[in-house]
Amino acid sequence: MKTIKLSATDSTNSFLKDLAQNSTLENFTTVVTQNQIKGRGQQQNKWVSEPYKNLTFSVFISFKDLKVVQKKYLNFAISLAIYDVLFANNLPKPSIKWPNDILSANKKICGILIENTFSGDRIKNSFVGIGLNINQETFPAYLNNATSLKLETGLEYDLDLLLKAILEEIKKNIKRLTSKSFNLLEEKYLDVLYKKNIPTMFKNSKDEIFMGMISGISDFGKLQVQLEDDVIKEFGLKEISFL
């Protein structure tokens, strides 16, 4: 497993994608930076991270036989790898907020961006970007729901050791993925999914407010919500938010 350490870069995912275009990468090649200047999140969101305090890194993963229709299991595998490491480090009340934010109680500690390249109906490569708040103690006011491992536990963490632990978990879960242990990954993911089976207020893309319960994830990775009339409706990214 090759790790490339950068003092600063715009985006580790962008750096890794550029690298892949110009060279043949070893599987699980990782790019990590102490200072990510233009970090990217889901749906053109930004990921803001204080330099030298957190983990901002990207992992290259290649596949031989992972179908596009199975990509939700890739998301499960990566999310659970982060969750399991944070759980082992005593993060209080950890959960995975669909699709792949990691929370401590109601506060966000980690964001994940998975960008794939395709060949026909197969996923050829994945560029997995991870931003994990570790030792940061203050956040901008507009990030009022952000937290870090240090804020939640009161402890200082070794970034290199945590990165090593996360990469080991990612490799373990990718092995489960490639051996087609889909049911295991889904079961573990749903077991720690934020607000699953709890009556919750939501808002849809039309700003309509409604009550429902998260019941599962569809075959295409959409969030399944059971409404008050027991109808199950599916929502994609940005089509639903929590209140």
Side-chain angles (χ1 to χ4, degrees):
M1 189 189 303
K2 183 178 181 181
T3 300
I4 300 166
K5 296 186 176 181
L6 306 173
S7 57
T9 190
D10 283 352
S11 159
T12 55
N13 252 31
S14 297
F15 184 94
L16 195 55
K17 287 163 73 175
D18 289 344
L19 201 61
Q21 284 188 334
N22 300 307
S23 58
T24 301
L25 296 184
E26 179 185 337
N27 208 8
F28 299 104
T29 293
T30 301
V31 173
V32 59
T33 185
Q34 297 173 321
N35 183 10
Q36 184 168 242
I37 300 164
K38 296 179 181 178
R40 295 182 292 117
Q42 295 279 4
Q43 301 284 303
Q44 283 74 56
N45 289 335
K46 295 179 180 179
W47 182 263
V48 179
S49 179
E50 183 179 345
Y52 310 104
K53 295 286 189 178
N54 306 309
L55 281 174
T56 46
F57 64 101
S58 294
V59 185
F60 170 81
I61 306 172
S62 63
F63 296 99
K64 293 179 180 177
D65 187 32
L66 183 65
K67 295 180 180 178
V68 174
V69 295
Q70 296 164 339
K71 69 178 182 178
K72 74 170 185 177
Y73 301 107
L74 170 61
N75 180 52
F76 295 168
I78 300 299
S79 308
L80 286 166
I82 310 296
Y83 173 93
D84 286 343
V85 170
L86 293 177
F87 181 83
N89 280 276
N90 301 311
L91 181 72
K93 298 181 180 178
S95 64
I96 301 174
K97 181 183 174 184
W98 176 84
N100 50 26
D101 286 344
I102 313 297
L103 305 185
S104 176
N106 295 317
K107 293 196 170 184
K108 183 172 176 177
I109 193 169
C110 178
I112 300 168
L113 175 66
I114 301 174
E115 298 180 297
N116 301 309
T117 59
F118 306 101
S119 177
D121 66 346
R122 300 289 198 273
I123 295 175
K124 183 181 177 183
N125 302 315
S126 293
F127 301 88
V128 179
I130 295 167
L132 177 56
N133 298 329
I134 306 294
N135 293 320
Q136 186 167 339
E137 295 181 85
T138 59
F139 292 88
Y142 63 89
L143 296 177
N144 59 350
N145 72 328
T147 192
S148 70
L149 203 50
K150 184 173 183 179
L151 282 176
E152 296 301 325
T153 66
L155 302 173
E156 186 92 11
Y157 291 85
D158 184 305
L159 299 182
D160 289 335
L161 288 179
L162 277 178
L163 176 62
K164 182 180 178 182
I166 290 168
L167 293 176
E168 289 297 329
E169 286 300 317
I170 287 175
K171 287 184 72 175
K172 185 189 302 182
N173 278 355
I174 293 301
K175 188 174 181 180
R176 288 170 173 160
L177 179 66
T178 54
S179 65
K180 303 193 186 304
S181 299
F182 298 140
N183 289 340
L184 173 63
L185 289 169
E186 184 153 17
E187 181 181 320
K188 285 170 64 70
Y189 179 90
L190 292 178
D191 190 50
V192 298
L193 185 60
Y194 179 68
K195 295 287 190 182
K196 184 175 183 289
N197 293 331
I198 297 173
T200 304
M201 295 296 293
F202 296 95
K203 183 170 71 173
N204 64 20
S205 55
K206 298 177 182 177
D207 287 334
E208 297 169 336
I209 296 172
F210 61 95
M211 176 75 75
M213 285 196 308
I214 295 172
S215 59
I217 308 296
S218 77
D219 289 344
F220 295 99
K222 290 190 173 185
L223 188 69
Q224 295 174 322
V225 178
Q226 182 179 337
L227 305 179
E228 290 181 291
D229 57 5
D230 290 335
V231 170
I232 293 178
K233 191 168 182 180
E234 297 179 359
F235 298 89
L237 274 176
K238 299 298 182 183
E239 292 179 352
I240 191 171
S241 58
F242 293 89
L243 288 181

